């Protein structure tokens, strides 16, 4: 099955052709980072308009790169939140229109489920269940037990900032370029490469007895460290990153052990972080699967992978389906079978 997938939830316009839910035949990502950098964050209105300008050229390029035409496509998928409403509407409407015009099956696909399914892309064995998923993106930090395809139970999550959001805010207070996550990681890596250890330690909110997270206190502690004028940018960046990584890897490894998970699946933009990847692999008692960095950040191939599993079960979205207007995991992922079948 060849799925054409379109993703436009935030500031990347992306289209992909994915075969059988695992083979990436193309995955074009047009980033808007430069456009938003001057504002120090994503401006929703600017993002929507840029998606509109980019979406058809990106789809064209995805088809050309895959060496196919719409005649070779069996189904179309579009990201259906969480995300910025105006941004989501562009890719989602384009996907719906192509499916309608070609009389193809269409499936609106949850963005976070897409991040998780990036772990199905590529060669080798498929992930095994029960899998513990650590979802760490710009808007979400969640520990989710996945018992089977489409079966999720949220066991913990952030009570305030998402991990990526905290990276971005600390990047901003350190005066680093947008987006803050990769910039903070680069500063921390540079300090480590020089052989130095960070000159300070920042606190960790363990929230014992839960699998929840809190990063707002850490962010404030980083702010005080910057204001004290006693530390270099590298010191604060590295100390901050070590706190986040320690908590994420510590809680994930403990929960994986308690649950007897078969595997740990890591998902979302922060999964591109080198220290997080190292520490999860070192501490988890079971195999840890993390997509290659460019499949961790927003891309359409992951949406194609997630959609394929549902399309195979016969799920289809009705033509009057809306995008999710929420950006919270509090609205549970749709479980397999609760969508209208056609
Ligand atoms: O999943 P994603 O691409 O978009 C959302 O769905 O939110 O995640 C973006 C987030 C941003 O907060 C970004 O700063 C962070 O992922 N990020 C990183 C790294 N690369 C991206 N955070 C830490 N280290 C990185 N290497
Ligand atoms: Zn994302």
């Amino acid at each position: 099955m060849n799925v054409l997938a379109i993703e436009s939830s935030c500031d990347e316009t992306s289209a992909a052709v994915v075969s059988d839910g695992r083979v990436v035949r193309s995955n074009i990502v047009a980033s808007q980072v430069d456009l938003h950098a001057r504002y120090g964050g994503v401006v929703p209105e600017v993002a929507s308009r840029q998606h509109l300008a980019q979406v058809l050229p990106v789809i064209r390029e995805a088809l050309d790169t895959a060496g196919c035409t719409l005649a070779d496509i069996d189904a179309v998928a579009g990201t259906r939140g969480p995300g910025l409403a105006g941004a989501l509407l562009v890719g989602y409407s384009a996907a719906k229109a192509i499916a309608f015009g070609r009389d193809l099956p269409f499936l609106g696909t949850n963005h976070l489920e897409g991040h998780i399914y990036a772990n199905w892309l590529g060669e080798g064995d498929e992930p095994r269940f029960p899998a513990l998923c650590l979802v760490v993106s710009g808007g979400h930090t969640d520990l989710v037990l996945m018992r089977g395809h489409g079966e999720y139970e949220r066991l913990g999550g952030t009570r305030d900032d998402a991990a990526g959001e905290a990276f971005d805010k600390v990047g901003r207070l350190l005066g680093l370029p947008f987006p803050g996550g990769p910039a903070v990681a680069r500063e921390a890596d540079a300090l480590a490469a020089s052989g130095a250890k960070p000159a300070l330690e920042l606190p960790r909110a363990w929230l014992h007895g839960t699998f929840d997270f809190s990063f707002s206190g850490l962010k404030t502690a980083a702010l005080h460290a910057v204001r004290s004028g006693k530390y270099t940018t590298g010191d604060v960046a590295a100390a901050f990153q070590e706190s986040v990584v320690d908590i994420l890897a510590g809680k994930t490894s403990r929960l994986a052990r308690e649950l007897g998970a078969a595997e740990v699946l890591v998902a979302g933009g922060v999964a591109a972080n080198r220290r997080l990847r190292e520490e999860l692999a070192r501490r988890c008692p079971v195999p840890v699967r993390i997509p290659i960095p460019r499949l961790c950040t927003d891309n359409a191939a992951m949406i194609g992978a997630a959609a394929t599993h549902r399309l195979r079960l016969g799920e289809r979205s009705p033509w009057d389906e809306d995008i999710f207007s929420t950006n919270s995991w509090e609205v549970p992922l749709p479980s397999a079978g609760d969508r209208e079948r056609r």
Side-chain angles (χ1 to χ4, degrees):
M1 188 195 299
N2 292 327
V3 174
L4 171 66
I6 302 166
E7 148 71 38
S8 67
S9 66
C10 190
D11 60 342
E12 331 271 8
T13 318
S14 180
V17 177
V18 175
S19 296
D20 301 324
R22 300 210 63 196
V23 182
V24 182
R25 293 182 52 186
S26 62
N27 189 22
I28 308 301
V29 181
S31 176
Q32 306 177 5
V33 161
D34 296 344
L35 198 61
H36 298 285
R38 77 182 87 148
Y39 305 107
V42 178
V43 182
E45 173 92 12
V46 174
S48 310
R49 293 175 66 175
Q50 189 64 11
H51 284 308
L52 201 51
Q54 293 287 349
V55 72
L56 292 178
V58 164
I59 293 169
R60 173 85 276 152
E61 195 179 337
L63 290 168
D64 290 349
T65 304
C68 66
T69 68
L70 285 175
D72 303 304
I73 298 299
D74 302 306
V76 186
T79 301
R80 184 175 179 246
L84 302 170
L88 283 163
L89 278 170
V90 178
Y92 183 82
S93 302
K96 221 187 215 186
I98 291 170
F100 188 80
R102 303 285 309 185
D103 199 20
L104 291 170
F106 169 68
L107 193 73
T109 302
N110 184 289
H111 180 75
L112 295 171
E113 188 173 34
H115 273 303
I116 290 171
Y117 272 87
N119 286 288
W120 268 261
L121 294 169
E123 291 165 6
D125 295 341
E126 293 197 9
R128 284 171 306 133
F129 301 120
L132 175 62
C133 308
L134 172 66
V135 182
V136 272
S137 70
H140 295 266
T141 300
D142 293 289
L143 279 165
V144 179
L145 174 63
M146 188 177 183
R147 291 204 176 81
H149 289 299
E151 287 175 52
Y152 306 94
E153 186 183 347
R154 183 180 186 269
L155 299 174
T158 185
R159 294 186 185 176
D160 39 58
D161 289 359
E165 184 184 1
F167 263 102
D168 292 339
K169 287 176 178 167
V170 167
R172 196 179 310 171
L173 65 91
L174 284 169
L176 297 174
F178 169 83
V184 168
R186 268 194 304 276
E187 292 291 330
D189 282 350
L191 184 78
S194 75
K197 292 250 177 293
L200 76 163
E201 203 177 357
L202 289 172
R204 284 131 172 85
W206 283 109
L207 305 179
H208 290 293
T210 76
F211 287 99
D212 284 346
F213 303 96
S214 168
F215 297 111
S216 66
L218 171 60
K219 189 183 61 188
T220 308
L223 175 65
H224 287 301
V226 171
R227 285 198 180 144
S228 76
K230 286 198 268 186
Y231 307 105
T232 64
T233 299
D235 281 332
V236 179
F240 168 79
Q241 178 175 266
E242 284 310 301
S243 283
V244 175
V245 166
D246 191 19
I247 292 167
L248 291 174
K251 292 218 168 203
T252 305
S253 56
R254 188 150 55 81
L255 188 54
R257 189 173 298 111
E258 281 185 21
L259 291 171
E263 290 194 25
V264 169
L265 308 181
V266 194
V270 183
N273 186 274
R274 185 187 61 81
R275 277 292 292 142
L276 179 62
R277 301 167 78 92
E278 269 176 19
E279 282 304 294
L280 283 166
R282 193 175 70 78
R283 295 198 216 173
C284 286
V286 296
V288 178
R289 216 180 266 258
I290 313 179
I292 56 170
R294 75 188 148 77
L295 294 177
C296 287
T297 47
D298 290 346
N299 69 90
M302 68 186 198
I303 299 300
T308 301
H309 286 276
R310 290 186 177 275
L311 287 160
R312 277 189 186 136
L313 294 173
E315 272 189 62
R316 306 285 185 267
S317 293
W319 294 122
D320 61 355
E321 184 179 77
D322 189 9
I323 53 162
F324 277 141
S325 55
T326 174
N327 62 354
S328 167
W329 185 277
E330 300 304 313
V331 173
L333 286 168
S335 62
D338 71 0
R339 293 275 185 78
E340 180 173 308
R341 289 164 195 272
R342 227 184 22 206

